[in-house]
mmCIF file of all heavy atoms in Angstrom:
data_model
loop_
_atom_site.group_PDB
_atom_site.id
_atom_site.type_symbol
_atom_site.label_atom_id
_atom_site.label_comp_id
_atom_site.label_asym_id
_atom_site.label_seq_id
_atom_site.Cartn_x
_atom_site.Cartn_y
_atom_site.Cartn_z
ATOM 1 N N ILE A 1531 -126.154 -74.066 82.277
ATOM 2 C CA ILE A 1531 -126.288 -74.031 83.735
ATOM 3 C C ILE A 1531 -126.098 -72.610 84.254
ATOM 4 O O ILE A 1531 -126.842 -72.127 85.117
ATOM 5 C CB ILE A 1531 -125.255 -74.990 84.382
ATOM 6 C CG1 ILE A 1531 -125.601 -76.459 84.058
ATOM 7 C CG2 ILE A 1531 -125.199 -74.784 85.891
ATOM 8 C CD1 ILE A 1531 -126.885 -76.952 84.662
ATOM 9 N N TYR A 1532 -125.080 -71.916 83.721
ATOM 10 C CA TYR A 1532 -124.814 -70.537 84.161
ATOM 11 C C TYR A 1532 -126.008 -69.625 83.863
ATOM 12 O O TYR A 1532 -126.409 -68.814 84.701
ATOM 13 C CB TYR A 1532 -123.559 -70.000 83.457
ATOM 14 C CG TYR A 1532 -123.270 -68.558 83.752
ATOM 15 C CD1 TYR A 1532 -122.700 -68.172 84.963
ATOM 16 C CD2 TYR A 1532 -123.587 -67.562 82.817
ATOM 17 C CE1 TYR A 1532 -122.457 -66.839 85.247
ATOM 18 C CE2 TYR A 1532 -123.344 -66.224 83.094
ATOM 19 C CZ TYR A 1532 -122.771 -65.872 84.301
ATOM 20 O OH TYR A 1532 -122.533 -64.568 84.580
ATOM 21 N N LYS A 1533 -126.569 -69.773 82.660
ATOM 22 C CA LYS A 1533 -127.704 -68.941 82.279
ATOM 23 C C LYS A 1533 -128.907 -69.191 83.189
ATOM 24 O O LYS A 1533 -129.576 -68.261 83.636
ATOM 25 C CB LYS A 1533 -128.076 -69.223 80.823
ATOM 26 C CG LYS A 1533 -129.198 -68.344 80.302
ATOM 27 C CD LYS A 1533 -129.499 -68.661 78.831
ATOM 28 C CE LYS A 1533 -130.658 -67.803 78.326
ATOM 29 N NZ LYS A 1533 -130.996 -68.132 76.928
ATOM 30 N N LYS A 1534 -129.127 -70.472 83.489
ATOM 31 C CA LYS A 1534 -130.263 -70.818 84.342
ATOM 32 C C LYS A 1534 -130.066 -70.271 85.748
ATOM 33 O O LYS A 1534 -130.989 -69.733 86.365
ATOM 34 C CB LYS A 1534 -130.429 -72.337 84.376
ATOM 35 C CG LYS A 1534 -131.685 -72.798 85.087
ATOM 36 C CD LYS A 1534 -131.876 -74.289 84.932
ATOM 37 C CE LYS A 1534 -133.176 -74.738 85.590
ATOM 38 N NZ LYS A 1534 -133.371 -76.204 85.453
ATOM 39 N N GLN A 1535 -128.831 -70.419 86.272
ATOM 40 C CA GLN A 1535 -128.556 -69.905 87.612
ATOM 41 C C GLN A 1535 -128.693 -68.387 87.662
ATOM 42 O O GLN A 1535 -129.168 -67.826 88.651
ATOM 43 C CB GLN A 1535 -127.152 -70.323 88.051
ATOM 44 C CG GLN A 1535 -127.031 -71.810 88.345
ATOM 45 C CD GLN A 1535 -125.614 -72.219 88.685
ATOM 46 O OE1 GLN A 1535 -124.666 -71.511 88.362
ATOM 47 N NE2 GLN A 1535 -125.471 -73.359 89.343
ATOM 48 N N LYS A 1536 -128.266 -67.734 86.590
ATOM 49 C CA LYS A 1536 -128.381 -66.274 86.547
ATOM 50 C C LYS A 1536 -129.834 -65.849 86.574
ATOM 51 O O LYS A 1536 -130.207 -64.876 87.243
ATOM 52 C CB LYS A 1536 -127.695 -65.755 85.283
ATOM 53 C CG LYS A 1536 -127.568 -64.246 85.227
ATOM 54 C CD LYS A 1536 -126.777 -63.804 84.001
ATOM 55 C CE LYS A 1536 -126.681 -62.283 83.950
ATOM 56 N NZ LYS A 1536 -125.944 -61.824 82.755
ATOM 57 N N GLU A 1537 -130.685 -66.591 85.837
ATOM 58 C CA GLU A 1537 -132.108 -66.275 85.821
ATOM 59 C C GLU A 1537 -132.744 -66.482 87.199
ATOM 60 O O GLU A 1537 -133.594 -65.712 87.624
ATOM 61 C CB GLU A 1537 -132.826 -67.147 84.793
ATOM 62 C CG GLU A 1537 -132.480 -66.789 83.351
ATOM 63 C CD GLU A 1537 -133.068 -67.797 82.365
ATOM 64 O OE1 GLU A 1537 -133.654 -68.803 82.833
ATOM 65 O OE2 GLU A 1537 -132.939 -67.591 81.146
ATOM 66 N N ILE A 1538 -132.276 -67.546 87.894
ATOM 67 C CA ILE A 1538 -132.892 -67.866 89.180
ATOM 68 C C ILE A 1538 -132.373 -66.961 90.292
ATOM 69 O O ILE A 1538 -133.124 -66.442 91.108
ATOM 70 C CB ILE A 1538 -132.627 -69.348 89.538
ATOM 71 C CG1 ILE A 1538 -133.327 -70.262 88.520
ATOM 72 C CG2 ILE A 1538 -133.111 -69.666 90.944
ATOM 73 C CD1 ILE A 1538 -132.993 -71.717 88.673
ATOM 74 N N TYR A 1539 -131.053 -66.759 90.318
ATOM 75 C CA TYR A 1539 -130.436 -66.087 91.463
ATOM 76 C C TYR A 1539 -129.950 -64.668 91.164
ATOM 77 O O TYR A 1539 -129.402 -64.011 92.043
ATOM 78 C CB TYR A 1539 -129.239 -66.900 91.960
ATOM 79 C CG TYR A 1539 -129.588 -68.326 92.303
ATOM 80 C CD1 TYR A 1539 -129.112 -69.382 91.533
ATOM 81 C CD2 TYR A 1539 -130.411 -68.615 93.385
ATOM 82 C CE1 TYR A 1539 -129.438 -70.686 91.836
ATOM 83 C CE2 TYR A 1539 -130.740 -69.912 93.695
ATOM 84 C CZ TYR A 1539 -130.256 -70.953 92.925
ATOM 85 O OH TYR A 1539 -130.587 -72.230 93.223
ATOM 86 N N GLY A 1540 -130.121 -64.196 89.924
ATOM 87 C CA GLY A 1540 -129.524 -62.921 89.535
ATOM 88 C C GLY A 1540 -129.959 -61.748 90.403
ATOM 89 O O GLY A 1540 -129.176 -60.838 90.678
ATOM 90 N N GLY A 1541 -131.218 -61.680 90.872
ATOM 91 C CA GLY A 1541 -131.692 -60.516 91.603
ATOM 92 C C GLY A 1541 -131.535 -60.593 93.100
ATOM 93 O O GLY A 1541 -131.888 -59.656 93.806
ATOM 94 N N ILE A 1542 -130.994 -61.711 93.608
ATOM 95 C CA ILE A 1542 -130.944 -61.887 95.059
ATOM 96 C C ILE A 1542 -130.087 -60.816 95.723
ATOM 97 O O ILE A 1542 -130.419 -60.269 96.757
ATOM 98 C CB ILE A 1542 -130.428 -63.304 95.397
ATOM 99 C CG1 ILE A 1542 -131.542 -64.308 95.115
ATOM 100 C CG2 ILE A 1542 -129.990 -63.384 96.842
ATOM 101 C CD1 ILE A 1542 -131.189 -65.721 95.458
ATOM 102 N N PHE A 1543 -128.920 -60.522 95.098
ATOM 103 C CA PHE A 1543 -128.013 -59.561 95.697
ATOM 104 C C PHE A 1543 -128.073 -58.188 95.027
ATOM 105 O O PHE A 1543 -127.173 -57.372 95.187
ATOM 106 C CB PHE A 1543 -126.585 -60.112 95.641
ATOM 107 C CG PHE A 1543 -126.445 -61.428 96.343
ATOM 108 C CD1 PHE A 1543 -126.299 -62.603 95.612
ATOM 109 C CD2 PHE A 1543 -126.498 -61.503 97.715
ATOM 110 C CE1 PHE A 1543 -126.192 -63.813 96.247
ATOM 111 C CE2 PHE A 1543 -126.391 -62.716 98.364
ATOM 112 C CZ PHE A 1543 -126.236 -63.874 97.635
ATOM 113 N N GLY A 1544 -129.109 -57.912 94.270
ATOM 114 C CA GLY A 1544 -129.269 -56.615 93.633
ATOM 115 C C GLY A 1544 -129.811 -55.584 94.620
ATOM 116 O O GLY A 1544 -129.968 -55.853 95.815
ATOM 117 N N PRO A 1545 -130.112 -54.339 94.153
ATOM 118 C CA PRO A 1545 -130.618 -53.307 95.058
ATOM 119 C C PRO A 1545 -131.970 -53.699 95.637
ATOM 120 O O PRO A 1545 -132.808 -54.279 94.938
ATOM 121 C CB PRO A 1545 -130.743 -52.069 94.159
ATOM 122 C CG PRO A 1545 -130.804 -52.599 92.772
ATOM 123 C CD PRO A 1545 -130.005 -53.864 92.768
ATOM 124 N N PRO A 1546 -132.187 -53.411 96.906
ATOM 125 C CA PRO A 1546 -133.478 -53.783 97.510
ATOM 126 C C PRO A 1546 -134.608 -52.962 96.905
ATOM 127 O O PRO A 1546 -134.409 -51.830 96.482
ATOM 128 C CB PRO A 1546 -133.287 -53.436 99.001
ATOM 129 C CG PRO A 1546 -132.219 -52.393 99.008
ATOM 130 C CD PRO A 1546 -131.320 -52.713 97.844
ATOM 131 N N PRO A 1547 -135.783 -53.499 96.864
ATOM 132 C CA PRO A 1547 -136.922 -52.757 96.303
ATOM 133 C C PRO A 1547 -137.247 -51.535 97.153
ATOM 134 O O PRO A 1547 -137.190 -51.590 98.374
ATOM 135 C CB PRO A 1547 -138.062 -53.794 96.331
ATOM 136 C CG PRO A 1547 -137.641 -54.793 97.365
ATOM 137 C CD PRO A 1547 -136.152 -54.838 97.334
ATOM 138 N N GLN A 1548 -137.572 -50.424 96.489
ATOM 139 C CA GLN A 1548 -137.891 -49.178 97.193
ATOM 140 C C GLN A 1548 -139.325 -49.254 97.724
ATOM 141 O O GLN A 1548 -140.234 -49.657 97.007
ATOM 142 C CB GLN A 1548 -137.757 -47.989 96.236
ATOM 143 C CG GLN A 1548 -136.355 -47.762 95.718
ATOM 144 C CD GLN A 1548 -135.399 -47.413 96.840
ATOM 145 O OE1 GLN A 1548 -135.788 -46.732 97.795
ATOM 146 N NE2 GLN A 1548 -134.170 -47.882 96.740
ATOM 147 N N PRO A 1549 -139.520 -48.839 98.985
ATOM 148 C CA PRO A 1549 -140.900 -48.879 99.522
ATOM 149 C C PRO A 1549 -141.787 -47.851 98.840
ATOM 150 O O PRO A 1549 -141.338 -46.740 98.525
ATOM 151 C CB PRO A 1549 -140.706 -48.531 101.009
ATOM 152 C CG PRO A 1549 -139.417 -47.785 101.060
ATOM 153 C CD PRO A 1549 -138.559 -48.340 99.957
ATOM 154 N N LYS A 1550 -142.995 -48.208 98.629
ATOM 155 C CA LYS A 1550 -143.936 -47.294 97.985
ATOM 156 C C LYS A 1550 -144.430 -46.256 99.005
ATOM 157 O O LYS A 1550 -144.721 -46.618 100.143
ATOM 158 C CB LYS A 1550 -145.134 -48.072 97.435
ATOM 159 C CG LYS A 1550 -144.770 -49.020 96.312
ATOM 160 C CD LYS A 1550 -146.008 -49.748 95.822
ATOM 161 C CE LYS A 1550 -145.652 -50.698 94.686
ATOM 162 N NZ LYS A 1550 -146.832 -51.444 94.199
ATOM 163 N N PRO A 1551 -144.504 -44.982 98.595
ATOM 164 C CA PRO A 1551 -144.984 -43.967 99.549
ATOM 165 C C PRO A 1551 -146.449 -44.199 99.902
ATOM 166 O O PRO A 1551 -147.267 -44.526 99.046
ATOM 167 C CB PRO A 1551 -144.827 -42.640 98.779
ATOM 168 C CG PRO A 1551 -144.775 -43.035 97.335
ATOM 169 C CD PRO A 1551 -144.196 -44.402 97.282
ATOM 170 N N LYS A 1552 -146.723 -44.013 101.203
ATOM 171 C CA LYS A 1552 -148.092 -44.237 101.652
ATOM 172 C C LYS A 1552 -148.952 -43.012 101.299
ATOM 173 O O LYS A 1552 -148.492 -41.879 101.411
ATOM 174 C CB LYS A 1552 -148.124 -44.448 103.163
ATOM 175 C CG LYS A 1552 -147.386 -45.706 103.581
ATOM 176 C CD LYS A 1552 -147.465 -45.877 105.097
ATOM 177 C CE LYS A 1552 -146.736 -47.141 105.515
ATOM 178 N NZ LYS A 1552 -146.770 -47.337 106.982
ATOM 179 N N PRO A 1553 -150.168 -43.237 100.884
ATOM 180 C CA PRO A 1553 -151.044 -42.093 100.585
ATOM 181 C C PRO A 1553 -151.347 -41.276 101.848
ATOM 182 O O PRO A 1553 -151.572 -41.842 102.899
ATOM 183 C CB PRO A 1553 -152.312 -42.759 100.026
ATOM 184 C CG PRO A 1553 -152.266 -44.145 100.530
ATOM 185 C CD PRO A 1553 -150.831 -44.501 100.688
ATOM 186 N N THR A 1554 -151.328 -39.924 101.734
ATOM 187 C CA THR A 1554 -151.560 -39.064 102.910
ATOM 188 C C THR A 1554 -152.912 -38.343 102.780
ATOM 189 O O THR A 1554 -153.264 -37.878 101.721
ATOM 190 C CB THR A 1554 -150.470 -37.987 103.007
ATOM 191 O OG1 THR A 1554 -149.635 -38.065 101.922
ATOM 192 C CG2 THR A 1554 -149.733 -38.053 104.280
ATOM 193 N N ASN A 1555 -153.558 -38.171 103.930
ATOM 194 C CA ASN A 1555 -154.836 -37.475 103.973
ATOM 195 C C ASN A 1555 -154.584 -35.963 103.973
ATOM 196 O O ASN A 1555 -153.740 -35.454 104.701
ATOM 197 C CB ASN A 1555 -155.582 -37.890 105.251
ATOM 198 C CG ASN A 1555 -156.990 -37.365 105.244
ATOM 199 O OD1 ASN A 1555 -157.179 -36.150 105.331
ATOM 200 N ND2 ASN A 1555 -157.952 -38.259 105.154
ATOM 201 N N VAL A 1556 -155.352 -35.154 103.168
ATOM 202 C CA VAL A 1556 -155.158 -33.701 103.032
ATOM 203 C C VAL A 1556 -155.415 -32.996 104.367
ATOM 204 O O VAL A 1556 -154.661 -32.109 104.789
ATOM 205 C CB VAL A 1556 -156.074 -33.128 101.928
ATOM 206 C CG1 VAL A 1556 -155.952 -31.614 101.846
ATOM 207 C CG2 VAL A 1556 -155.740 -33.767 100.605
ATOM 208 N N LEU A 1557 -156.461 -33.365 105.071
ATOM 209 C CA LEU A 1557 -156.801 -32.738 106.348
ATOM 210 C C LEU A 1557 -155.690 -32.966 107.379
ATOM 211 O O LEU A 1557 -155.349 -32.067 108.163
ATOM 212 C CB LEU A 1557 -158.128 -33.275 106.868
ATOM 213 C CG LEU A 1557 -159.378 -32.822 106.094
ATOM 214 C CD1 LEU A 1557 -160.622 -33.538 106.633
ATOM 215 C CD2 LEU A 1557 -159.549 -31.303 106.195
ATOM 216 N N MET A 1558 -155.149 -34.205 107.345
ATOM 217 C CA MET A 1558 -154.082 -34.530 108.288
ATOM 218 C C MET A 1558 -152.864 -33.641 108.026
ATOM 219 O O MET A 1558 -152.243 -33.126 108.967
ATOM 220 C CB MET A 1558 -153.716 -36.010 108.174
ATOM 221 C CG MET A 1558 -152.584 -36.428 109.115
ATOM 222 S SD MET A 1558 -153.054 -36.311 110.866
ATOM 223 C CE MET A 1558 -154.257 -37.629 110.966
ATOM 224 N N ARG A 1559 -152.499 -33.470 106.757
ATOM 225 C CA ARG A 1559 -151.347 -32.639 106.423
ATOM 226 C C ARG A 1559 -151.579 -31.177 106.860
ATOM 227 O O ARG A 1559 -150.688 -30.503 107.371
ATOM 228 C CB ARG A 1559 -151.078 -32.711 104.926
ATOM 229 C CG ARG A 1559 -150.533 -34.072 104.470
ATOM 230 C CD ARG A 1559 -150.330 -34.092 102.985
ATOM 231 N NE ARG A 1559 -149.318 -33.116 102.573
ATOM 232 C CZ ARG A 1559 -149.054 -32.846 101.303
ATOM 233 N NH1 ARG A 1559 -149.735 -33.446 100.345
ATOM 234 N NH2 ARG A 1559 -148.126 -31.971 101.018
ATOM 235 N N THR A 1560 -152.813 -30.628 106.640
ATOM 236 C CA THR A 1560 -153.138 -29.252 107.040
ATOM 237 C C THR A 1560 -153.015 -29.081 108.546
ATOM 238 O O THR A 1560 -152.482 -28.083 109.054
ATOM 239 C CB THR A 1560 -154.557 -28.898 106.570
ATOM 240 O OG1 THR A 1560 -154.665 -29.124 105.162
ATOM 241 C CG2 THR A 1560 -154.903 -27.445 106.895
ATOM 242 N N TRP A 1561 -153.566 -30.065 109.299
ATOM 243 C CA TRP A 1561 -153.504 -30.024 110.760
ATOM 244 C C TRP A 1561 -152.054 -30.006 111.246
ATOM 245 O O TRP A 1561 -151.710 -29.260 112.166
ATOM 246 C CB TRP A 1561 -154.279 -31.208 111.326
ATOM 247 C CG TRP A 1561 -154.209 -31.306 112.825
ATOM 248 C CD1 TRP A 1561 -153.561 -32.215 113.575
ATOM 249 C CD2 TRP A 1561 -154.812 -30.418 113.755
ATOM 250 N NE1 TRP A 1561 -153.712 -31.990 114.895
ATOM 251 C CE2 TRP A 1561 -154.493 -30.863 115.043
ATOM 252 C CE3 TRP A 1561 -155.619 -29.257 113.615
ATOM 253 C CZ2 TRP A 1561 -154.936 -30.217 116.189
ATOM 254 C CZ3 TRP A 1561 -156.043 -28.625 114.772
ATOM 255 C CH2 TRP A 1561 -155.698 -29.105 116.035
#
Side-chain angles (χ1 to χ4, degrees):
I1531 292 294
Y1532 175 77
K1533 183 179 178 182
K1534 187 173 183 180
Q1535 289 176 340
K1536 189 175 179 181
E1537 290 172 355
I1538 295 173
Y1539 304 111
I1542 285 182
F1543 302 106
Q1548 296 297 325
K1550 294 180 180 179
K1552 296 181 180 179
T1554 4
N1555 189 292
V1556 176
L1557 289 175
M1558 179 66 69
R1559 290 178 63 187
T1560 305
W1561 177 250

